[in-house]
Amino acid sequence: MSRVSKFAGRDPGPAARMAGFMAHLRAHGLRVGVAETDIALRALTHVQAGDPDETRRALKTVCTGGAEDVERFDDLFDSYWLNGGRVRQKVMPAQVTPNLETVRSSRQAHSEQVASGAGQTTTPDDGTGEAEADGDGKLVASSLQNLMKKDLRDLVQPEEIAEAEAIARRLGAALRHRRSRRRKAARKGDQIHFRKLIRQSLATGGEPLSLPKKHRPDRPLKIVALCDVSGSMTLYAQVFLAFLAGLMRADDACDAYLFHTRLVRIADALRDRDALRALGRMSVLADGFGGGSKIGASLQQFSRSYARRFVDGRSVVLILSDGYDTDAPELLGTALAKLKKRGCKIIWLNPLKGWAGYQPIAQGMAAALPHLDLFRAANRLADLAALEPELTRL
Amino acid sequence: MHWMTRQTAMAEQGYIASDDLAMAVHLALSLGRPLLLEGAAGVGKTEIARVLAAICDTQLIRLQCYEGLDAAQAIYEWNYQRQLLTIRAAAEDGETGRSVEQRIFSEDFLLERPLLKSIRQSKSPVLLIDEIDRADEEFEAYLLEILSEFQITVPELGTIKAITRPIVILTANGTRDLSDALRRRCLYAHVGYPERDTELAILKARCPGVEAALADQIIGFVQSLRQEDLEKKPGIAEMLDFSAALMGLGIADLTQDPKLLQASLATLLKTEADRFNITAEVCQRLAGQAA
């Protein structure tokens, strides 16, 4: 039996199928638009479109835009074009659906997103714990995992995000705008460096042959937030997630991650213009929410991978965690030490610290303390707002 | 033209491309769109541009990006010193200001930088914009106009339209995230470390002198070295250096002389921490596995 999907008889033809494929990719988070559909159709005229492998390769180069897209593309391709010979319904939508991009209200977007964004690529879960799929099963969830899945939108209210956004903006501003009053000589400056110009023109008989420039150096700090979403943190997740969402929307330069037993980068998902939809996308990523926590291993993974690209001397790493780690505390210590070597500042926000008589006796926390630039409590948004003067001093 | 023909043509130039990559190159050439290549350092992204220039028998124009790169250095610049001298000379001859002004803002005083140069060639050149992620975001935005319109506006001269469209190759290795706008204007290919067979073919193409048994060992050794926890994984260029070093030292078998092998790791490991991590024992274990 051919594995190629059959299409319904009323399906208007290849162009519509391609549009359907693009919609399929969009629904799974790939950023493709009308222009890509056009290029994809043109690309297929340059290859043998009858050959699935060639088509796959051609569409891959057109539709992907990053390493993560490339990784997911094969499964998405299979689920649309090679769907075990099953008949796919007519691809073109009968009427024009409202454009999601322009929908500003989160509530309207909500139901659509659940329908398209959070679903599985191939078959829906049949509840037996093991689903059948064409690919290697990467995108097929079992009901076991479903128990761990939580829709983060249930935790966070839109008003809180707005409040958190305002706080994040203030914190970001406290960190970022530390411009020097002094001007420095620079190749690309906005003013002419007169002292240097006169000095240099001495050599050419008073003729200013080169025009040295100077500028006012901008020294922004960027925030990298790592949020613990393990079981013990579920209570506070609401505050922190709102804060992360606000932070990402307020500041383009910052970066965010979630960790429980593994580390997930959520920066791209959180940058969605619709705050609640962003949380919806994140729920898909944060599979395993509320489980155990491996802080040490996650931080180690962070300092080995993302930190190398995104963390430098002008970064502030913000860790939101209660410090209860199932790993050995040494691991946490060495991970932080390694991170510190990149020249960044490390701030640890611990919700437990807000309790009266709290002592950082959790072994992980104790191991982390020597490496921290700031260790503060944070259980409410107000606590986060109170950080502003501290951050200015960093 | 079939994409496999391109793959063969690239192989003839000593570049062994994976199927995905060959398809991306084929489409970039057929559709006339820029190609964005992303991947770790040392996997041969820049090399593709050189090979393409050789295949198409055309010029390679390279723009190396760096932090602070601005339009003047990438597109065009007025020859300020020459303009100044001309004004001085004109003042002595009693020439009027108006005609001097027209003269000093003419083609003669325009310094072509890579981007302007690339759109003014009579035969489509290959334009390599190397490490675009090192350049500032503002420059990336500027590039968008040029990549979609292939025209450059010089206020004093007017708009210069491309005579031929250059074949544009952009490379990035993740220093910072590129904008969606740029990604969407390009075809994309992710260039990873090659599979064992591909890398073996690369080694044989580049160092025909290396014996088959040793070549096998070298590839096995380098591939398992990449699995280790390293700060900077060795790329293809490093692998070729390593092979050249082994051949220069007259080693025919990796397990033959542990001391020499350890010394030749200098070609593969480029940070102190990595040298420290790959101890003599680890090195011996990897060599033993590869043999």
Side-chain angles (χ1 to χ4, degrees), chain A residues 31 36 39 46 54 57 60-61 64-67 70 187-188 207-209 211 265 304 308-309, chain B residues 2-3 19-20 23-24 26-27 30 33 70 73 80-81 88 136 174-175 180 183-184 188 229 231:
Chain A
R31 272 163 266 182
E36 276 77 13
I39 301 164
H46 292 279
E54 275 196 29
R57 288 205 179 96
K60 190 190 269 184
T61 186
T64 55
V70 170
R187 225 168 358 80
K188 211 172 68 166
E207 203 70 77
L209 274 187
L211 296 179
R265 181 155 189 246
R304 256 207 316 260
R308 265 198 227 149
R309 283 161 53 186
Chain B
H2 196 253
W3 66 275
D19 291 355
D20 280 359
M23 176 60 88
H26 169 62
L27 287 178
S30 308
R33 290 184 69 89
D70 62 8
Q73 288 138 9
Y80 169 67
Q81 284 85 352
R88 186 42 67 87
D136 304 331
T175 310
D180 273 1
R183 286 183 190 276
R184 292 198 50 192
Y188 177 86
D229 179 19
E231 276 187 2

Side-chain angles (χ1 to χ4, degrees), chain B:
Chain B
M1 197 192 270
H2 196 253
W3 66 275
M4 280 172 142
T5 330
R6 307 250 198 231
Q7 199 175 23
T8 323
M10 287 169 85
E12 277 162 13
Q13 292 294 328
Y15 194 96
I16 316 291
S18 68
D19 291 355
D20 280 359
L21 186 57
M23 176 60 88
V25 168
H26 169 62
L27 287 178
L29 292 176
S30 308
L31 299 171
R33 290 184 69 89
L35 174 62
L36 170 64
L37 299 169
E38 221 174 10
V43 289
K45 299 186 296 293
T46 307
E47 192 69 8
I48 291 175
R50 193 194 61 73
V51 170
L52 269 184
I55 291 176
C56 305
D57 189 25
T58 182
Q59 202 185 349
L60 172 66
I61 298 173
R62 178 173 176 164
L63 172 65
Q64 173 69 50
C65 296
Y66 52 88
E67 212 179 319
L69 174 71
D70 62 8
Q73 288 138 9
I75 305 168
Y76 72 91
E77 219 171 345
W78 289 108
N79 192 338
Y80 169 67
Q81 284 85 352
R82 213 174 139 201
Q83 283 174 330
L84 201 70
L85 292 175
T86 308
I87 295 170
R88 186 42 67 87
E92 281 171 12
D93 295 350
E95 203 177 332
T96 61
R98 188 82 195 148
S99 75
V100 176
E101 195 183 313
Q102 274 188 350
R103 201 143 57 85
I104 60 171
F105 288 113
S106 65
E107 286 277 339
D108 292 350
F109 292 85
L110 193 67
L111 292 175
E112 277 182 354
R113 297 294 180 221
L115 291 179
L116 181 60
K117 193 174 169 195
S118 73
I119 68 165
R120 298 219 290 182
Q121 304 293 317
S122 52
K123 185 174 186 193
S124 289
V126 172
L127 170 64
L128 168 67
I129 302 174
D130 213 2
E131 307 197 29
I132 173 69
D133 49 347
R134 280 183 195 277
D136 304 331
E137 273 156 34
E138 49 195 282
F139 180 73
E140 196 184 307
Y142 204 99
L143 207 55
L144 292 177
E145 184 202 341
I146 299 170
L147 288 184
S148 52
E149 308 290 328
F150 287 102
Q151 64 179 31
I152 285 166
T153 307
V154 181
E156 296 86 353
L157 286 183
T159 302
I160 301 173
K161 281 215 160 71
I163 302 172
T164 52
R165 277 189 164 214
I167 302 161
V168 186
I169 305 284
L170 297 108
T171 74
N173 49 20
T175 310
R176 76 178 161 78
D177 269 352
L178 297 175
S179 72
D180 273 1
L182 181 71
R183 286 183 190 276
R184 292 198 50 192
R185 275 172 182 74
C186 304
L187 297 180
Y188 177 86
H190 186 260
V191 190
Y193 292 109
E195 304 275 312
R196 193 191 161 88
D197 292 346
T198 315
E199 194 164 18
L200 197 58
I202 294 170
L203 176 59
K204 281 180 179 155
R206 289 304 192 80
C207 302
V210 66
E211 280 171 43
L214 179 62
D216 255 350
Q217 284 190 358
I218 290 174
I219 302 303
F221 183 79
V222 173
Q223 295 240 335
S224 47
L225 192 63
R226 284 194 196 122
Q227 306 298 319
E228 296 290 315
D229 179 19
L230 295 181
E231 276 187 2
K232 167 85 188 71
K233 290 186 177 147
I236 294 171
E238 278 80 20
M239 181 274 291
L240 291 172
D241 285 350
F242 179 57
S243 316
L246 292 180
M247 282 163 71
L249 292 168
I251 297 177
D253 188 324
L254 282 191
T255 47
Q256 177 191 336
D257 190 338
K259 271 212 177 117
L260 270 183
L261 177 62
Q262 185 73 15
S264 60
L265 280 185
T267 55
L268 290 174
L269 303 174
K270 302 293 172 72
T271 72
E272 195 194 340
D274 287 351
R275 283 307 298 267
F276 182 77
N277 277 339
I278 306 301
T279 53
E281 290 78 45
V282 178
C283 183
Q284 278 312 295
R285 174 169 57 79
L286 295 178
Q289 280 167 4

